[in-house]
RNA sequence: GCUACUGUGGCUCAAUGGUAGAGCACUUCACUCGUAAUGAAGGGGUUGGGGGUUCGAUUCCCCCCAGUAGCUCCA
């Protein structure tokens, strides 16, 4: 049967195609398990899913069975026919079919909504469309996984079974997609972290990562960079305690709004908490003395380690942990300085992300249900953030009700290797802390006034940022961050002396060098060094020892041929200085 | 936390109702070698923890812990 060519480049076509496949999935499930109740089945990034309520637990074997059934439906080439029903009839229609979830969906539709259905063979689904014309147009399908998902995303409601799948207009495209996912999985930071001996996790502390010597090189490089840049951008630095008493957390509001996520301890019978955020400590530091309006804007940074009791199921390598170091800063300002400060921080974040070649998107989160302050304060704060973004032409996604309990925020999201996004940078305007801690400054009128404040992070958490960096670079870090910058390999023991001298020279130039003079074949040493993702591998044999040269291989560019030792050093020093990716 | 799945030496994985095996890594010896694995020998595991069924459990059952995917929640 000759098929019309489907243009997958067009978004509408892609969505229709996936959406139609999700209907085929639903039909297949109803064929196999008539008692299954259908919830929703949308098209998503890279594929589709369908949520179903079924007592029988679907396993991986069943996915194959379902796929077989789907192929039958595709082969039958049913036409997709759209029809509309008035609300009462629509509800009756789904009630007769015992589709409780569909009934609920129809009941929640707006009064004037058009209630449309799509029919394919004897299967009918409530759906706004659009769809392909017939099931036969679907070519390559694959069901990828089954997982739990709450009905309507509400953890208080029933957990349904969600079947994920993907589909393409040709088998070749599907194969390519699967291959791409397999490749991406090789960049998983948890895998590379183990292979490169960067960090580890252990049952002694789930979600509390250990940083190993190689990982510490990366971490320290990032922290040194952070200090240099913050110096340039006019920041001071402080360090506040990890443990502070109950009263402080009551004053800050964390005790009332964040208790479930906090760890507690007792000291001499007094209640203390381990800090989940750095702001209260920063407030205490601020209050140590009097300030003039001339001191503002005052930017105070802190690499602050926080502990948060995250749900066990949320933990994920370095991306989601229970203790992490925020590259925090609090900026105290006059009202007229707010916009410029927000713009300044946004540009700062952009500079840093660009240096690493990261793509990101921005989200503006507004007032949540559980929050402090008045509507007026929130309006002012939300407006300040959105206007700053407008002024510098940064586009953002609005995420209503997802702000912090003390203020709205701009979040900067980065992607991991398989396209999951993680919030890293954030700028949060806070009208509550200055009030709660009674922060003041003396204005030009000689009176006390309340400063405005923003919290912000750039990396977000050093741990998460390193996780993203590992996946982004696949472990081939920019030279200035790389744990081992150069590895020298001798061909035979005859070159040990020369190699040792080269090593000294490189070390004097400040490079991180390892020397392998083991009595092993060069191929063996080379393989090991390559597996370690060493930035530069230098082979040293008789020729190099005589000519004062190195035979160099870059982990990014491959074989670079023979280079004089002095030139090699100069090149690397320059590469580090320029922070080449 | 919820749903499903997984948990075997440092790592990657195999096997079984009769107390476990490979490769890599590690140690020792030999080989002195030119761009992704030289050969040989050796050491290393109360099969995540606890309980139960059984003559016997690592395997079957229950509970707990941890991990993976997704949901929820978040840097």
């Amino acid at each position: 049967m000759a098929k019309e060519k489907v243009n997958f480049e067009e978004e509408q076509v892609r969505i229709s195609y996936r959406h139609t496949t999700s209907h085929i999935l639903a039909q297949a499930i109803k064929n196999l398990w008539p008692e299954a109740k259908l919830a929703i089945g949308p098209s998503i990034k890279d594929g589709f899913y369908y949520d179903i309520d079924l007592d029988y637990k679907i396993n991986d074997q069943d996915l194959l069975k379902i796929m077989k059934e789907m192929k039958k439906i595709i082969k039958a080439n049913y036409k997709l026919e759209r029809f509309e029903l008035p609300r009462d009839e629509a509800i009756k229609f789904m009630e007769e079919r015992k589709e409780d979830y569909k009934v609920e969906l129809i009941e929640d539709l707006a009064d004037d909504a058009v209630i449309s259905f799509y029919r394919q063979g004897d299967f009918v689904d409530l759906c706004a469309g659009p769809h392909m014309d017939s099931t036969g147009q679907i070519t390559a399908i694959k069901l990828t996984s089954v997982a739990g998902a709450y009905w309507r995303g509400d953890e208080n409601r029933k957990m349904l079974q969600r079947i994920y799948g993907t589909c393409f207009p040709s088998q070749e495209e599907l194969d390519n997609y699967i291959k791409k996912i397999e490749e991406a999985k090789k960049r998983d930071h948890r895998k590379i972290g183990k292979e490169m001996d960067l960090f580890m996790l252990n049952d002694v502390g789930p979600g509390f990562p250990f940083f190993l010597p190689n990982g510490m090189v990366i971490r320290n490089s990032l922290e040194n960079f952070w200090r240099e840049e913050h110096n340039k951008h006019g920041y001071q630095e402080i360090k506040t305690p990890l443990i502070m008493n109950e009263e402080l957390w009551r004053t800050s509001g964390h005790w009332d709004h964040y208790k479930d996520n906090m760890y507690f301890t007792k000291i001499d019978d007094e209640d203390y908490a381990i800090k989940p955020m750095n702001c209260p400590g920063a407030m205490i530091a601020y209050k140590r003395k009097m300030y003039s309006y001339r001191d503002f804007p005052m930017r105070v940074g802190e690499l602050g380690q926080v502990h948060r009791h995250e749900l066990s199921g949320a933990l994920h390598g370095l991306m989601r942990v229970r203790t992490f170091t925020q590259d925090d800063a609090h900026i105290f300002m006059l009202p007229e300085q707010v916009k410029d400060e927000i713009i300044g921080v946004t540009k700062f974040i952009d500079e840093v992300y660009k240096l690493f070649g990261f793509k990101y998107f921005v989200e503006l989160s507004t007032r949540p249900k559980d929050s402090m302050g008045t509507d007026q304060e929130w309006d002012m704060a939300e407006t300040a953030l959105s206007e700053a973004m407008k002024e510098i032409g940064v586009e953002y996604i609005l995420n209503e009700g997802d702000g912090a309990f003390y203020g709205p925020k701009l979040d900067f999201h980065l992607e991991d290797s398989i396209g999951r996004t993680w919030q890293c940078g954030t700028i949060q305007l806070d009208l509550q802390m200055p009030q709660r801690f009674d922060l003041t400054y003396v204005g030009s009128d000689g009176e006390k006034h309340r400063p405005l404040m923003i919290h912000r992070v750039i990396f977000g958490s050093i741990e998460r940022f390193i996780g993203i960096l590992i996946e982004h670079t696949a472990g081939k870090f920019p030279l200035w961050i790389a744990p081992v910058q150069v590895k020298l390999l001798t061909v035979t023991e005859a070159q040990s002396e020369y190699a040792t001298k080269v090593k000294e020279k490189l070390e004097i130039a400040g490079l991180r060098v390892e020397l392998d003079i083991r009595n092993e074949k060069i191929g063996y040493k080379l393989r090991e060094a390559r597996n370690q993702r060493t930035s530069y591998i230098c082979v040293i044999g008789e020729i190099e020892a005589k000519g004062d040269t190195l035979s160099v291989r870059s982990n990014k560019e491959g074989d670079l041929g023979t280079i004089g030792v002095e030139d090699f050093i100069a090149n690397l020093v320059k590469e580090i200085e320029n922070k080449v990716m």
Side-chain angles (χ1 to χ4, degrees), chain A residues 117-300:
Chain A
F117 295 82
Y118 279 80
R119 183 196 304 279
Q120 59 198 53
D122 58 1
F123 174 79
V124 178
D125 200 355
L126 169 73
C127 185
H131 279 285
M132 306 302 284
D133 299 330
S134 70
T135 60
Q137 285 169 289
I138 306 302
T139 305
I141 56 167
K142 183 172 171 64
L143 298 182
T144 46
S145 64
V146 54
Y150 299 109
W151 169 232
R152 301 203 133 176
D154 183 344
E155 63 181 324
N156 298 312
R157 304 197 66 174
K158 190 167 183 180
M159 180 158 274
L160 310 172
Q161 298 189 70
R162 175 171 296 178
I163 299 172
Y164 284 92
T166 190
C167 54
F168 288 89
S170 71
Q171 188 63 38
E172 194 191 348
E173 283 162 275
L174 175 62
D175 291 344
N176 284 342
Y177 170 79
I178 294 166
K179 215 164 133 190
K180 207 180 95 191
I181 297 290
E182 295 300 316
E183 285 300 313
K185 278 182 187 161
K186 290 184 189 160
R187 298 214 307 249
D188 190 314
H189 77 284
R190 293 165 298 187
K191 184 173 147 66
I192 291 177
K194 202 177 267 182
E195 286 168 1
M196 294 182 73
D197 217 22
L198 304 176
F199 66 92
M200 58 180 260
L201 288 151
N202 186 281
D203 282 2
V204 297
F208 301 126
F210 289 63
F211 272 79
L212 305 173
N214 286 339
M216 281 309 291
V217 171
I218 295 171
R219 193 180 172 123
N220 288 333
S221 303
L222 289 174
E223 289 186 4
N224 292 341
F225 165 73
W226 187 88
R227 291 204 164 91
E228 283 167 24
E229 289 303 310
H230 281 72
N231 250 327
K232 286 185 207 160
H233 283 80
Y235 284 75
Q236 304 167 266
E237 185 178 354
I238 58 169
K239 180 78 88 187
T240 67
L242 264 65
I243 299 176
M244 289 172 280
N245 71 12
E246 176 184 342
E247 198 194 329
L248 175 83
W249 301 107
R250 287 207 182 274
T251 305
S252 69
H254 286 83
W255 199 274
D256 290 333
H257 296 272
Y258 209 71
K259 207 164 185 260
D260 290 347
N261 279 298
M262 290 167 69
Y263 296 111
F264 299 94
T265 188
K266 267 188 196 295
I267 301 174
D268 296 339
D269 275 338
E270 296 285 317
D271 286 316
Y272 283 75
I274 299 160
K275 70 175 175 182
M277 294 186 194
N278 299 304
C279 26
M283 299 304 101
I284 300 300
Y286 178 95
K287 280 174 72 74
R288 73 192 183 279
K289 61 179 187 180
M290 297 281 282
Y291 299 91
S292 153
Y293 67 97
R294 292 196 183 93
D295 294 323
F296 291 167
M298 188 170 71
R299 310 183 185 107
V300 186

Side-chain angles (χ1 to χ4, degrees), chain A residues 261-402:
Chain A
N261 279 298
M262 290 167 69
Y263 296 111
F264 299 94
T265 188
K266 267 188 196 295
I267 301 174
D268 296 339
D269 275 338
E270 296 285 317
D271 286 316
Y272 283 75
I274 299 160
K275 70 175 175 182
M277 294 186 194
N278 299 304
C279 26
M283 299 304 101
I284 300 300
Y286 178 95
K287 280 174 72 74
R288 73 192 183 279
K289 61 179 187 180
M290 297 281 282
Y291 299 91
S292 153
Y293 67 97
R294 292 196 183 93
D295 294 323
F296 291 167
M298 188 170 71
R299 310 183 185 107
V300 186
E302 171 173 17
L303 291 172
Q305 184 178 6
V306 297
H307 289 73
R308 297 183 184 176
H309 181 235
E310 300 296 346
L311 295 175
S312 58
L315 301 179
H316 182 96
L318 288 183
M319 302 292 202
R320 190 78 181 272
V321 290
R322 283 177 172 158
T323 182
F324 54 98
T325 299
Q326 294 183 301
D327 62 318
D328 223 331
H330 296 91
I331 304 177
F332 303 93
M333 309 158 294
L334 305 173
E336 59 268 32
Q337 294 169 333
V338 171
K339 200 163 74 182
D340 281 349
E341 284 304 309
I342 293 169
I343 289 170
V345 174
T346 305
K347 285 183 173 165
F348 194 176
I349 292 175
D350 183 65
E351 276 169 39
V352 173
Y353 290 4
K354 273 207 179 113
L355 175 70
F356 291 98
F358 291 157
K359 288 205 171 72
Y360 64 93
F361 69 88
V362 183
E363 211 172 70
L364 172 63
S365 296
T366 57
R367 183 169 196 177
K369 278 189 195 126
D370 180 22
S371 58
M372 304 185 302
T374 65
D375 286 345
Q376 204 185 355
E377 287 165 339
W378 277 85
D379 282 349
M380 189 282 258
E382 287 168 10
T383 308
L385 290 174
S386 63
E387 286 198 343
M389 290 304 98
K390 265 175 212 145
E391 184 161 326
I392 50 173
V394 172
E395 303 228 341
Y396 60 84
I397 297 164
L398 191 64
N399 193 1
E400 274 179 75
D402 204 37

